[in-house]
Amino acid sequence: RPTSGAPAPRPTSRPTREEGHEGDFVVAGYVENWKTWDTGDLDGYNTLLYSFLTLDPQPNPDQPRDLRWDGVAIYESMTRADVLDVMDATEPLYENPHNWQRQKIVGLMDFCAATGKRFVWAFGGWSDLKRTIADDQVDALVDQLVALLKLGGDGIDFDWEHLSDAKDSDPALYAQQRVVVGKVIVALKDALVAEGMDDAIISYTPRYNAFFTSDGAFGNAPIRTDGEGIDVLNYVSEHSTFGADAIDYVHYMMYDIDAREGFAEATEGYFVEEHYDAVIESSLPYIDVSKIVMGFEPGPQAYTGKWGGEEHDRATIALLRPVIGGVMFWAVNDVKVSPQNGRTVGQNSNALAAFAAPAGVDAVADDAGNAVLDKLNALGIAHQTYAHAAVPTIEEQTRGVGSPPGRP
């Protein structure tokens, strides 16, 4: 069964950015492959995630199919063809029937290479298969992922969003699905190392409650997907020779739900500082803080999600930046228009990505005055607590170190 018990030992913390690793901070943007994009808008990012590869040859955003992978191919969702066929550099290229999309992908790869960015394949998404893969399909899937990375790309991001769907209907399937991502990650890391590709990125993208338990210990309201990250990380930590370091980053989808549904005492529809603190604190027994990449969708969101506005996101990023490993945005070319500022989600994402760069945060912090600077200094204290992997004690909490007073 999935377990939410005692975590496996966490890896040794990497040096903090205050010790000279400022360049490690991730500013990631997801690129919707069903929309056009302009690389001239993407200077603020150092990681771009091409979205999506799927297990389903016919991904359906309105009604994801309750099926398991056919084992035939990993599909590029625009062409609905085997991504290995899509990326085949035929001679001449026009003999590749999918070259119309291959040209776009290669163009984005070339842009990333020329500007020092990472190109990562985002794999999954809401539209993909609900039953993902069986345990006996792990090796076949990993072989195809390695073959793809040999053709191009700097890594794989696992965004499998239906791992808890069978919780109330099929206990055996639920138990298998809650750890299958971990099984794929362990096998993929070993395969990449064996091929001399150990610098390839492996990231994992759950919802914000990945490390919450359903007892409300972090002020959270119980949700079916609670603890997915606990199951995945416990498996990876136990079975990989790299421990939790088999995963480079965890991207948190901290959007698409009204904060009042996610946290029992929330008073606004959007997430606020104490909610971000809860997410960070819940993660620390399982991953180093440098692996935390916090997600934003700045504008209209799916389901019941509410946006707090651009200034709210800027203030949040300024507070988080000294503490965590990065931020990510859905999506760089999303065309939904926000009624709050009349700009698209993509435009808001790109502006916030530019702000997340060191110079942007420093400049705005200076402009904002002592209130922001005081908070940054306070988070400097918290950062030392997080960086050394210590979950704050009750005594520390009452002194305001690491988390709000009174949180279990």
Side-chain angles (χ1 to χ4, degrees), residues 271-329:
F271 296 111
V272 298
E273 181 183 346
E274 66 182 279
H275 304 144
Y276 291 96
D277 287 347
V279 170
I280 294 170
E281 185 183 344
S282 70
S283 307
L284 296 180
Y286 306 95
I287 59 171
D288 192 86
V289 72
S290 61
K291 297 182 184 294
I292 296 175
V293 177
M294 199 67 72
F296 297 83
E297 185 175 6
Q301 301 176 11
Y303 191 48
T304 58
K306 308 292 184 186
W307 185 39
E310 184 177 1
E311 292 308 312
H312 176 72
D313 279 2
R314 284 175 177 258
T316 301
I317 292 168
L319 293 172
L320 292 175
R321 200 183 193 289
V323 181
I324 62 174
V327 292
M328 65 87 162
F329 300 92

Side-chain angles (χ1 to χ4, degrees), residues 364-384:
V364 173
D366 289 341
D367 291 343
N370 291 332
V372 171
L373 295 176
D374 287 346
K375 185 58 183 177
L376 288 171
N377 290 334
L379 277 172
I381 299 172
H383 178 63
Q384 297 305 314

Side-chain angles (χ1 to χ4, degrees), residues 217-298:
F218 294 94
N220 55 297
I223 296 177
R224 180 173 55 190
T225 53
D226 286 342
E228 282 185 359
I230 296 175
D231 293 334
V232 170
L233 263 296
N234 276 347
Y235 185 91
V236 171
S237 295
E238 181 179 349
H239 292 88
S240 174
T241 56
F242 302 93
D245 284 334
I247 299 174
D248 293 286
Y249 301 105
V250 177
H251 295 186
Y252 294 74
M253 292 187 287
M254 199 145 180
Y255 44 77
D256 289 350
I257 187 171
D258 190 307
R260 291 165 293 195
E261 295 179 43
F263 289 89
E265 297 184 3
T267 59
E268 302 286 352
Y270 51 85
F271 296 111
V272 298
E273 181 183 346
E274 66 182 279
H275 304 144
Y276 291 96
D277 287 347
V279 170
I280 294 170
E281 185 183 344
S282 70
S283 307
L284 296 180
Y286 306 95
I287 59 171
D288 192 86
V289 72
S290 61
K291 297 182 184 294
I292 296 175
V293 177
M294 199 67 72
F296 297 83
E297 185 175 6

